[in-house]
Amino acid sequence: MKRDTFTGRVGFVLAAAGSAVGLGNIWRFPYLAAQYGGGIFLLVYLVLVLTVGIWLMSAEIAMGRKTGLSAVGAFRTLNSKYSFIGYLAALVPILVLPYYSVIGGWVTKYFFAFVSGGAAASATNGFFDSFTASTFEPLAWFLVFLGLTAIAVFFGVEKGIEKVSRVLMPVLVILAVFIAGFVVLQKGALEGVLYYLTPDFSRFSVKTVLAAMGQMFYSMSVAMGIMITYGSYMKPDVSIATSAKQIALFDTCIAFVSGLMIVPAVFLFSGGSEQSLNQGPGLMFETLPKVFQNMNGGAAIGTVFFLLVLFAALTSSISLMETVVSIFQDQMKLSRIRASLLTLVISIMLGIPSSIGFGLWKDVRVLGLQFLDFFDFISNSVIMPIVALLTALFIGYVIKPQTLLDEIERTSPLKSKGWFSLTIRYFAPVCILIVLITSLLSTFGLFTI
Ligand code: PHE
């Protein structure tokens, strides 16, 4: 059967960017940047995107286009002994989709709160905590978000949603730039802007690198087989390297602006205390309503903003669910309906503990983490680095970089060829290995950094 293809580079870049740009950029990046020292996190993140990220993305796309298959099949075709890397990659979206939908549910809740005149209430201290600590409300919103995702996947309306989001994405960018501009110009924001932009090298640690690396994989949708699948739909005359650079640029800019919108606002509204910078997953939800509260027409702007974030989150969750469904379809020979139902059941089962982990189960900890943080940690800081490491070793030493370079160079010769091989063979594996081992040891208390 001939595979459907994207219409051209623009089509491919937009579809892949729709998957890449999501809650990772707007919700996750700012709270990690706040937590891990602002400027230093930003710097490490940028270096990682430019070195490991872009090449890994190019390599995954090339693997997909060369084989015409998604993760498991692509590894198997290139060398049948290594299909386990594909399986490991496939585990990531299965673990991410449930808790992604919990956060998506929070966004849905905030959108409806703003629509129904609750903008001021949502800016009060304790609003977020009491919402997430209640049992049923967050669960209900989680199910609404997951349901919306499932409907799109069931009825195949994702094409429609993608069309809409192509128009809405640029609007989101413009709005985020506007909000960031507003925040930066407030009196008292300077300290926060400096915290976000100036690297403080005394705060550099292996943990910063691990957090930045996990975020880079997550945000760029690499190290989980998704870009392999996207590559399998890409036409041969579209440039892989140029596409990867454009997706990375777009993705990074949105993360950067989101940080600029949220991190200085923490200084504005809570003086940048350590506790407020360390809020974690709640940061965006605590901070942005306060920003809107201080803006003329803030309630309306906030409503539009949360709607746009909801769309960005949906395009990403749809691509996550699509991936999981197609894995179940291919590997278990299930019909599309059954595979979708199985995905739903698993997501609900894993999503429930993540949701009630902020309330009813707040004393239940795994490795000292709440459920949501635990799933996030296992997928982003453990499995994804391992998949990225194995993928780099596989390309570097089993199939050899040249195999993929042939695919990448089908459109035009790659000037930075040497970098590609160097990164894939040495830089990426060494960096990932050091970071992964040190930080795992420290997590289990065997080592202090
Ligand atoms: N990259 C998406 C984000 O930044 C998350 C995601 C990961 C989506 C993997 C799809 C697949 O939000």
Side-chain angles (χ1 to χ4, degrees):
M1 193 175 70
K2 196 173 166 301
R3 259 177 124 79
D4 284 342
T5 48
F6 291 110
T7 36
R9 196 179 84 220
V10 177
F12 174 78
V13 169
L14 283 174
S19 163
V21 175
L23 294 172
N25 309 62
I26 306 158
W27 156 75
R28 200 171 186 274
F29 181 85
Y31 86 71
L32 290 177
Q35 195 171 345
Y36 287 96
I40 188 71
F41 181 85
L42 189 63
L43 181 68
V44 173
Y45 183 80
L46 288 178
V47 170
L48 285 171
V49 170
L50 291 175
T51 51
V52 182
I54 290 183
W55 294 129
L56 196 64
M57 181 180 271
S58 307
E60 287 198 8
I61 298 173
M63 277 177 69
R65 190 167 76 182
K66 191 173 177 67
T67 57
L69 296 167
S70 44
V72 177
F75 278 99
R76 181 176 298 133
T77 309
L78 290 167
N79 188 319
S80 60
K81 273 192 271 170
Y82 292 89
S83 51
F84 72 91
I85 307 177
Y87 285 107
L88 204 57
L91 195 59
V92 178
I94 300 178
L95 290 172
V96 170
L97 178 63
Y99 83 82
Y100 200 87
S101 303
V102 171
I103 313 291
W106 296 353
V107 174
T108 322
K109 149 84 185 178
Y110 271 68
F111 167 63
F112 278 99
F114 269 72
V115 168
S116 54
S122 67
T124 50
N125 285 332
F127 179 87
F128 174 78
D129 285 339
S130 66
F131 161 63
T132 47
S134 62
T135 307
F136 293 108
E137 219 203 319
L139 273 182
W141 291 111
F142 153 62
L143 292 177
V144 168
F145 183 86
L146 188 62
L148 288 173
T149 308
I151 290 172
V153 174
F154 267 136
F155 294 108
V157 294
E158 60 263 36
K159 294 259 154 43
I161 295 197
E162 255 182 55
K163 281 219 181 79
V164 178
S165 76
R166 264 176 217 190
V167 182
L168 293 184
M169 270 312 179
V171 185
L172 174 67
V173 178
I174 295 167
L175 195 61
V177 170
F178 172 75
I179 299 169
F182 172 83
V183 169
V184 168
L185 293 176
Q186 295 300 298
K187 229 172 102 209
L190 188 65
E191 196 191 341
V193 175
L194 289 177
Y195 176 77
Y196 183 54
L197 296 181
T198 14
D200 171 359
F201 288 93
S202 69
R203 298 218 30 193
F204 179 86
S205 76
V206 181
K207 276 228 160 99
T208 315
V209 186
L210 185 76
M213 197 161 73
Q215 171 63 16
M216 185 265 287
F217 296 142
Y218 186 87
S219 186
M220 295 180 76
S221 301
V222 292
M224 55 180 107
I226 292 196
M227 286 298 155
I228 303 185
T229 312
Y230 274 73
S232 71
Y233 297 118
M234 189 196 216
K235 282 202 171 142
D237 58 352
V238 175
S239 163
I240 293 181
T242 311
S243 305
K245 280 180 199 145
Q246 284 180 347
I247 301 164
L249 183 73
F250 194 56
D251 191 64
T252 308
C253 285
I254 298 199
F256 175 76
V257 175
S258 303
L260 200 55
M261 180 170 78
I262 293 172
V263 179
V266 180
F267 284 75
L268 271 182
F269 300 116
S270 40
S273 67
E274 191 154 332
Q275 192 200 359
S276 61
L277 287 168
N278 276 329
Q279 266 175 60
L283 191 67
M284 169 182 118
F285 298 93
E286 294 268 11
T287 314
L288 283 181
K290 296 200 170 103
V291 174
F292 297 132
Q293 179 80 354
N294 283 281
M295 255 181 177
N296 282 332
I301 296 172
T303 311
V304 177
F305 180 80
F306 279 112
L307 181 67
L308 295 172
V309 176
L310 183 59
F311 267 97
L314 276 172
T315 50
S316 295
S317 65
I318 290 168
S319 83
L320 277 167
M321 186 163 180
E322 276 281 356
T323 313
V324 180
V325 169
S326 71
I327 293 164
F328 288 158
Q329 265 182 298
D330 293 351
Q331 301 306 316
M332 301 188 204
K333 306 274 170 283
L334 291 179
S335 68
R336 189 166 172 84
I337 298 283
R338 290 202 172 177
S340 307
L341 285 176
L342 180 63
T343 310
L344 259 185
V345 171
I346 295 180
S347 301
I348 293 175
M349 275 170 21
L350 295 182
I352 289 175
S354 299
S355 179
I356 61 178
F358 289 86
L360 202 58
W361 282 10
K362 73 172 178 310
D363 297 322
V364 187
R365 301 266 154 160
V366 195
L367 294 180
L369 299 168
Q370 281 170 334
F371 275 102
L372 192 143
D373 287 330
F374 169 73
F375 284 120
D376 187 89
F377 174 78
I378 285 292
S379 47
N380 296 286
S381 302
V382 183
I383 307 180
M384 282 156 89
I386 294 177
V387 171
L389 175 67
L390 293 173
T391 307
L393 293 176
F394 175 74
I395 299 167
Y397 301 93
V398 180
I399 61 168
K400 305 284 178 323
Q402 193 56 44
T403 316
L404 294 185
L405 277 172
D406 292 343
E407 185 63 42
I408 294 174
E409 292 194 308
R410 265 167 84 157
T411 39
S412 60
L414 190 67
K415 279 193 234 89
S416 33
K417 225 178 166 128
W419 276 114
F420 178 78
S421 310
L422 216 65
T423 307
I424 297 281
R425 293 181 72 127
Y426 306 104
F427 183 68
V430 170
C431 167
I432 299 170
L433 202 64
I434 296 178
V435 169
L436 187 66
I437 293 180
T438 3
S439 92
L440 283 184
L441 288 181
S442 83
T443 306
F444 295 105
L446 300 171
F447 189 77
T448 36
I449 39 176

